[in-house]
Amino acid sequence: MKFLVKSIKTAGVSLEDVEIAVGRLAIEEEWEPMGPTPMPKIETLRSWDMKLLKRYRPFYMPICDLCCLCTYGKCDLTGGKRGSCGLTIDAQQARIVMVACAIGAATHASHARELVELLIERYGEDWPIDMGGEIHVEMPNTRLVVGIKPKTLGDLAFALNYVEEQIVQTLAASHTGQESDYLDFESKALHLGMLDHVAMEIADVAQVITFGFPKGDPDAPLAEIGLGCVDVTKPLILCIGHNVTNSIDIIDFIEKSGLGAPGEMIEVAGLCCTAHDIVRYNKAAKVVGPISYQLKFVRSGAADVIVTDEQCIHTSILHEAQKVKAPVISVSNKALRGLEEVSDKPVDEIVDMLVTGKVPGVAILDLEKAAAVAVLTALRIAPIRKKFKVVPDKEELAKVASKCVKCGSCRRNCPIDLPIDEAVSAAKNGDLSKLAEIHDLCLGCARCESACPRGIPILSLITGAADYKIKTSKFKMRVGRGPILDTEIREVGSPIVLGEIPGVIAFVGCANYPAGGREVAIMAEELLKRRYIVVASGCAAMSIAEYRTEEGTTLYEEYSGAFEAGGLVNVGSCVANAHISGACIKIANIFARRRLRANYEEIADYVLNRVGACGIAWGAMSQKAASIATGFNRLGVPVIVGPQGAKYRRLYLGRKEDIESFTVYDARTGDKVWVGPAPEHLIYAAENKEEAMVMAAKLCLRPNDTTKGRMIKLTHYVELYKKFYGTLPPDLHLFIRTEADIPITHKFEILEYLKKVDWKPWERPVVDPTLLERLIRVKK
Ligand code: SF4
Ligand code: SF4
Ligand code: SF4
């Protein structure tokens, strides 16, 4: 903030027309000496990226080997051919990945900007960043990258300026005739991923400090989740998207209007990440579920009003909502859906327009007005709509299915090859069980419907057949707690870095699962039993909730919410992913006392070599998921994607036989030492959940593990491998440095194996590993 003072007179000073600037103290305060890379540009961390890319070489799987991005094209890039602009196929693949990361980072930055601007308007730019007594490193990503210790909402706006400027600069490299080298495109993708984590951190911290969300509370409350958790006899407002502000205004309006908490007289339910954030605000709201439930729930007709904000909203939402006569209110200018913008009209007039069906929906960019319209419309329209449904009842199902000619077009177009043709055909004869089975695996994309030549509403058939399951689908999810406490980091920093906690596994990302969300929960349960710290966010955190253990409880009820061995931590929505990268950064800073301020390379080097963390984005689908994963990669955290994730078209794979690439400096002596392929890959696509679990255990291995830590980590790797493949892992010898590393429970078997492969104890089993020459303490 700047203001002009016409004149100041004190005993010794007399000034006129001075401009005084306040509010940027965070930038100026010397809380820690400035590190080497404040506000890095494209080239600043390029040498770090090249170190990573030398070891983890991009592996491309072109989905399309043409380019049609400019009017010279389309260009065939196969067989070593170049495009008219000179571009090669590897650079084109890297460019597409970079553009995906730019889209993802821009989406979070835009989300953060909207939140911050609105919150400054409501709370003032001096609103303090207070994350509670147990969080002093309040924004590790921002401190690390931007080099500031933000104190106020105004500081967040300043940090966002940097993020936005860098996204524009980097995206410009994708224009025809700019960047041409695939590794440089990859470096830019990594840059964008890093920026994305700053943007996410800004978005989440802004909402945590203003809306009263939990501030790292391990005992955050449990909320209801599931397609059957809403009371459909009450008026119901369904909020879909990622920017929770309007949903919070809806809850506030309901309460101010004397209608009680959500669920008392009117239901407020959310889908996708908005749902996560609604229940962080008020646990009486309901979480319907991840993105894959969108069309299923809308078609159920339960929602009386549908409010859409931004991101991951099915673009046919208006069309679908019209089928069940539910008006749509769009509150984001990024998704106006062709609707009339009525922000200036009086509330009553808009409500009339919607209730009478004069318009199918409206766009309202005044969020408080949109909230009032949503509530008043829901109250008036609910008795009229009588929960209009397009999902056929049982009797109708066979009739609708009877049109099927079993052509198989639906199955061929299903992204996960579900046997829809057989299920619809069976339904013709009254057997609905096959359709009901498909329900649990179905992504809810409705691509099968578009492909059906007979116009059969296949998704509605699937939903109708599973009606009995849907009605009883009620679970508990611990609401997103936000960041990890500094005190928790102090407790677990040492056992994580020394390897005594086998690892931190983060289930992140969307719901494009190869075989249903249940797989995510099964993986989480296996790892929790093995005392990994399991962290979750976004759709994955919801899928974990929708599963019952043998005891009949959900994992959130059975396991502690603390960041500790065997703890299950739901951090919250997509933007809360920044708290997972933030925890890795805080381990380096709080536990190992590495300087944080603008010191990206050193911290990433620390994480890569010491912090046994790994992400599993089992249903990664969006561009945001691409940039989030790539941001983790730049920080030295490996990510496993599911089989659908291969469609991102690029993996970062290490070659364990390449000794040189897994050679590091021993910071104590300056010697170059081979440390084994740990971690082996940075982005890996697993074919099934079993492979993902085994790979996750392996990707938590780090060169810095103590012998005790390595033994514990290898125990899990060996046990999981034996459980799913029946033998010892074929690369086990590459990770055993001395006999003391060998898991006790399998010692004899492993010793025999080691003899067969002619294993020898390493000369230098324990080193102080780094990829950065400047960190060598003794110069030779
Ligand atoms: S950008 Fe290059 S490769 Fe792509 S269409 Fe244009 S000329 Fe061809
Ligand atoms: S596409 Fe339609 S007609 Fe063909 S098998 Fe599938 S449901 Fe039947
Ligand atoms: S809606 Fe379900 S069954 Fe249909 S194509 Fe999508 S995933 Fe396959």
Side-chain angles (χ1 to χ4, degrees), residues 538-592:
C539 288
M542 295 185 193
S543 298
I544 287 174
E546 295 193 310
Y547 167 83
R548 287 191 204 287
T549 64
E550 279 172 8
E551 279 67 47
T553 54
T554 63
L555 294 175
Y556 289 109
E557 291 165 291
E558 200 159 313
Y559 290 89
S560 119
F563 191 77
E564 63 186 9
L568 173 57
V569 179
N570 174 14
V571 287
S573 52
C574 284
V575 288
N577 274 310
H579 303 310
I580 304 175
S581 52
C584 296
I585 297 167
K586 290 213 283 189
I587 289 171
N589 176 238
I590 297 173
F591 162 70

Side-chain angles (χ1 to χ4, degrees), residues 423-437:
V424 178
S425 195
K428 265 165 97 164
N429 305 319
D431 174 9
L432 301 178
S433 62
K434 292 199 163 95
L435 278 173
E437 274 167 32

Side-chain angles (χ1 to χ4, degrees), residues 92-107:
Q92 168 64 0
Q93 299 310 309
R95 175 164 71 154
I96 297 287
V97 179
M98 191 213 95
V99 169
C101 291
I103 295 170
T107 304

Side-chain angles (χ1 to χ4, degrees), residues 145-172:
V145 176
V146 189
I148 66 167
K149 180 177 168 183
K151 287 185 155 43
T152 62
L153 274 177
D155 291 336
L156 299 188
F158 171 84
L160 264 179
N161 292 344
Y162 157 73
V163 171
E164 290 162 344
E165 185 252 352
Q166 282 302 300
I167 292 172
V168 172
Q169 292 298 327
T170 316
L171 180 58

Side-chain angles (χ1 to χ4, degrees), residues 398-410:
K399 204 167 135 203
V400 177
S402 68
K403 289 200 282 173
C404 175
V405 291
K406 214 175 175 205
C407 66
S409 171
C410 48

Side-chain angles (χ1 to χ4, degrees), residues 67-75 77 83-85 87 95 176:
C67 177
C68 49
L69 211 56
C70 82
T71 64
Y72 274 149
K74 54 180 145 175
C75 297
L77 304 175
S84 304
C85 65
L87 204 69
R95 175 164 71 154
T176 302

Side-chain angles (χ1 to χ4, degrees), residues 410 413-416 418 420 438 442-448 459 462:
C410 48
N413 280 279
C414 175
I416 49 172
L418 292 174
I420 316 160
I438 283 181
C442 169
L443 307 171
C445 67
R447 211 154 91 182
C448 47
L459 182 59
I462 294 169

Side-chain angles (χ1 to χ4, degrees), residues 588 594-595 599-607 772 774-775:
R594 298 286 177 118
R595 279 191 182 153
N599 195 20
Y600 192 90
E601 208 177 37
E602 182 176 340
I603 297 290
D605 181 65
Y606 185 93
V607 173
L772 303 174
R774 70 183 164 84
L775 295 186

